[in-house]
Amino acid sequence: MGKVAVAAAVVCTAAVCAAAVLVARRQMRISGKWAKAEAILRELEEKCGTPAAKLRQVADAMTVEMHAGLASEGGSKLKMLISYVDNLPTGNEKGLFYALDLGGTNFRVMRVQLGGKDNKIKQEFEEVSIPPHLMVGSSHELFDFIAEALAKFIATEGEDFHLPPGRQRELGFTFSFPVRQLSLASGTLIKWTKGFLIEDAVGQDVVGELTKAMERVGLDMRVTALVNDTVGTLAGGKYSNPDVIAAVILGTGTNAAYVERAHAIPKWQGLLPKSGEMVINMEWGNFRSSHLPLTEYDQSLDAESLNPGEQIFEKLISGMYLGEIVRRVLYRMAEEASFFGDIIPPKLKIPFILRTPDMSAMHHDTSSDLKVVGSKLKDILEVSNSSLKMRKMVVLICDIIASRGAQLSAAGILGILKKLGRDSLKEGEKQRSVVALDGGLFEHYTKFRNCLETTLQELLGEVADTVVVEHSNDGSGIGAALLAASHSQYLEVEES
C-alpha cells in the first residue's frame, strides 16, 4: 500500500472514530437527559402519592373542617353555607314550574311539568348566549335581557304544560356565583367570577334584581327558590332516588352539598325547620389541609393564580386545573431534561394551553403507537417529532395527576359520609347512601371516574355495598324547578 493510501486510511479511521465518539457522546447525553426526565417523573409520582392511610387523614380533616364551619361563621376554610332548603323533593310534586340557570356566558331557561310519582317529567329548555357587553355593563341591562328571554320562552308554552287558573308561575333560580343567602328566595351577590364584572349588582339581592326586571317586561312570575348548582343537583338526585344524601359537582370547578340534621348546625339561629333537616352548601373547593399531597407545580400554579391561597382543593381535583398541572410538569422536563429537544416548544410556555379534555384524550389513547398523544403534542404544543418513549411518559404524567385528583375526590366524599355517620355499618340498620355526581370531568373523563369509584370502595371496605355513586345528568337545572315545586306558595292549599 502506498504512503498516500495509508495516510488516507488513517484519516478515514480517525474520522470514523471521531464520529463514533460523537454518537456515543450524543447517546450518553440523550440517556443522561432521559435519566433526568425519569427522575422528574419518579419525584412527581412520590409527591402525588395518595396511599389509603393519607386519604383517610384527608377524609378525617374534611370532617373536622365541616364541624368547624357549622359551628361558626368564618370558623373554617369550608364556608358550610346554610341554603335554607329544608324540604327536598319527594317525587310527589305536581304542576308546572320554571327554572333559570345562570352560571356562565350562557344561561338556560327550562319548564317542567310534574305529575307525581307515577308520571314522567315533561321538560323543555332553551339556551341563550349572553352578549359580552352585558357581562360588564349594568345590572339593569343584564337582568332585563334575562327577563325578556324568559318572557319569550314562556310565550311558547304548549298544550302539554298546564298552569291551573288563577295561579302565578313559579321559578327556581340557579345562580352559580358567590352569594350571601338571606332566605330561600333572597341572597346578595358577594362578587362576580367567570368574566362578569357588573359593579352595581355587587351587594344587591339578585332575586330582587330579577323580580324588578320581570315586572318591567310585564311578566307575572315569582322566584320561589334561589339555589346554588350543587344544591340543585342534590334536589334533582333526591327526586329520582330518595336515598340521595349528598351531591358533588366535578366539572370545571368543584363543590359538594349534603343533607344535615338541623340540630347539628350550631350557627343556625332561627327556628328548627319542621323537617328537622337543612341542606348545606359546603363550598368544598376551598378545603385545605396539611395532609393534601402538594407539589412544586401546585404551589407555582396557586401563586400565579387570580386567587392565591384560596380554592386549594379545587386546584388539585377540578377540570379547570388538571391539564395545566400536566403542562407545568412537561415544561420542567423540557427545561431540565431537554424532553422535547434542545429548544423548549414556545407553545409550552403558555399557561392553560393544555386543557383537561386534551389530557383526557391522551390518557385514554389505546393505539399501539399512541397516535392521539402524538397528534395532541403536534396540534397543541407544535411538537412534530415525538417518539413512542416520549408519548408513553406523557401518558404516565396524565395518569399520576388524574389519579391523585380522583383519589382526593373520593377522600372528600368519605369525609361527608363520616360526618353523617354513614361510613360504618350499624347493627340491625339497613341504610343505603347515594351520592349524586354531576359535571363534565366526572361524566367524560372515564379513567378519572373509575379511579374515584374504585378508591371510594377500597376506603369504605365492608360498607362499600351500602354506598352508591350515581351520575345525575343535568341535575342542577331540573333541581331548581323541583325546589320551586317543593317550596311552592300553593303547597298548603294543596295539602288542606
Side-chain angles (χ1 to χ4, degrees):
M1 190 185 286
K3 284 182 183 176
V4 174
V6 169
V10 168
V11 169
C12 269
T13 308
V16 168
C17 286
V21 167
L22 282 173
V23 167
R25 274 191 190 150
R26 187 167 178 273
Q27 283 173 339
M28 279 170 68
R29 203 169 80 238
I30 289 168
S31 65
K33 285 175 177 175
W34 192 257
K36 176 63 181 167
E38 285 180 328
I40 290 170
L41 183 74
R42 276 196 305 276
E43 181 194 29
L44 177 72
E45 199 165 13
E46 198 180 301
K47 293 269 176 71
C48 288
T50 45
K54 185 179 267 292
L55 292 174
R56 289 184 200 288
Q57 288 174 321
V58 171
D60 288 341
M62 180 71 81
T63 308
V64 167
E65 290 297 319
M66 288 171 77
H67 277 284
L70 290 173
S72 62
E73 291 300 341
S76 163
K77 275 283 188 186
L78 289 181
K79 289 195 173 70
M80 302 300 282
L81 302 172
I82 292 167
S83 70
Y84 295 88
V85 171
D86 55 7
N87 278 320
L88 280 167
T90 59
N92 294 319
E93 290 78 13
K94 291 180 180 178
L96 171 63
F97 297 92
Y98 278 80
L100 165 64
D101 193 343
L102 175 62
T105 50
N106 297 332
F107 66 87
R108 205 152 36 145
V109 285
M110 179 187 280
R111 64 176 142 251
V112 299
Q113 184 77 42
L114 306 173
K117 272 204 165 54
D118 305 324
N119 295 290
K120 281 182 78 172
I121 298 176
K122 289 178 197 157
Q123 57 175 305
E124 291 178 345
F125 70 89
E126 200 172 284
E127 199 145 314
V128 183
S129 284
I130 300 172
H133 71 276
L134 291 183
M135 294 169 66
V136 291
S138 71
S139 177
H140 197 297
E141 289 171 323
L142 175 70
F143 283 102
D144 275 6
F145 179 77
I146 292 169
E148 281 161 16
L150 198 48
K152 275 184 203 159
F153 182 65
I154 287 167
T156 65
E157 218 172 76
E159 288 177 10
D160 287 347
F161 297 88
H162 316 286
L163 184 74
R167 287 201 175 180
Q168 192 181 23
R169 285 181 181 82
E170 294 179 296
L171 174 88
F173 184 12
T174 305
F175 186 75
S176 302
F177 297 92
V179 157
R180 186 167 288 107
Q181 194 107 9
L182 305 170
S183 68
L184 180 65
S186 65
T188 56
L189 176 64
I190 297 169
K191 63 174 179 181
W192 288 104
T193 55
K194 308 174 199 178
F196 282 79
L197 193 62
I198 303 168
E199 287 180 12
D200 64 346
V202 175
Q204 298 300 312
D205 176 8
V206 291
V207 173
E209 293 297 294
L210 177 62
T211 302
K212 284 185 280 190
M214 290 193 297
E215 285 167 0
R216 285 194 291 269
V217 299
L219 188 57
D220 182 25
M221 185 176 246
R222 179 174 187 257
V223 180
T224 309
L226 171 68
V227 295
N228 160 283
D229 55 353
T230 320
V231 175
T233 299
L234 178 58
K238 185 85 172 174
Y239 182 83
S240 52
N241 190 333
D243 293 328
V244 166
I245 49 110
V248 173
I249 288 185
L250 284 163
T252 306
T254 183
N255 194 11
Y258 74 103
V259 184
E260 184 57 275
R261 296 152 299 211
H263 62 76
I265 311 171
K267 69 180 179 183
W268 173 253
Q269 299 298 317
L271 292 168
L272 288 181
K274 271 189 233 169
S275 66
E277 294 178 336
M278 178 62 71
V279 173
I280 298 293
N281 164 19
M282 290 175 63
E283 292 293 337
W284 87 347
N286 209 36
F287 169 67
R288 71 179 306 167
S289 158
S290 59
H291 299 298
L292 291 173
L294 294 170
T295 66
E296 63 186 85
Y297 313 104
D298 304 303
Q299 281 154 350
S300 65
L301 184 154
D302 176 51
E304 293 162 29
S305 70
L306 296 171
N307 53 349
E310 300 293 313
Q311 300 296 105
I312 298 298
F313 195 51
E314 181 167 83
K315 287 169 185 168
L316 291 173
I317 71 173
S318 82
M320 176 85 186
Y321 301 100
L322 296 180
E324 171 61 5
I325 300 167
V326 171
R327 182 197 69 84
R328 285 170 182 266
V329 178
L330 290 175
Y331 185 83
R332 185 181 164 202
M333 284 185 168
E335 194 175 40
E336 295 181 20
S338 303
F339 187 66
F340 295 110
D342 293 334
I343 297 165
I344 298 172
K347 289 282 174 86
L348 188 58
K349 297 176 182 178
I350 303 170
F352 294 95
I353 193 167
L354 187 64
R355 295 160 52 252
T356 301
D358 300 315
M359 169 191 174
S360 172
M362 294 193 292
H363 195 180
H364 289 99
D365 189 355
T366 54
S367 60
S368 58
D369 59 348
L370 297 176
K371 191 184 286 180
V372 176
V373 180
S375 68
K376 289 288 180 191
L377 291 175
K378 186 169 184 278
D379 297 346
I380 299 163
L381 301 178
E382 294 177 356
V383 174
S384 52
N385 54 347
S386 58
S387 65
L388 182 58
K389 202 174 176 185
M390 191 189 283
R391 294 174 191 183
K392 282 180 175 172
M393 192 170 276
V394 171
V395 173
L396 284 172
I397 295 166
C398 294
D399 190 61
I400 291 166
I401 300 304
S403 298
R404 178 185 66 167
Q407 289 169 330
L408 290 173
S409 304
I413 292 170
L414 177 62
I416 297 172
L417 293 168
K418 274 177 173 290
K419 172 70 182 71
L420 296 174
R422 289 173 173 264
D423 63 322
S424 56
L425 291 172
K426 292 176 182 63
E427 238 179 283
E429 253 188 56
K430 275 196 172 180
Q431 63 177 10
R432 188 168 175 272
S433 309
V434 177
V435 181
L437 265 111
D438 198 10
L441 181 64
F442 181 79
E443 187 178 353
H444 302 300
Y445 201 145
T446 310
K447 284 183 185 283
F448 184 100
R449 181 174 70 242
N450 292 345
C451 180
L452 185 158
E453 290 173 350
T454 307
T455 305
L456 187 58
Q457 285 178 335
E458 286 168 2
L459 291 172
L460 287 167
E462 60 176 5
V463 189
D465 292 344
T466 69
V467 176
V468 180
V469 167
E470 217 169 66
H471 180 219
S472 172
N473 196 11
D474 184 39
S476 68
I478 203 161
L482 293 167
L483 286 167
S486 64
H487 293 82
S488 167
Q489 63 186 317
Y490 303 111
L491 269 184
E492 285 173 14
V493 177
E494 285 164 6
E495 283 167 5
S496 56

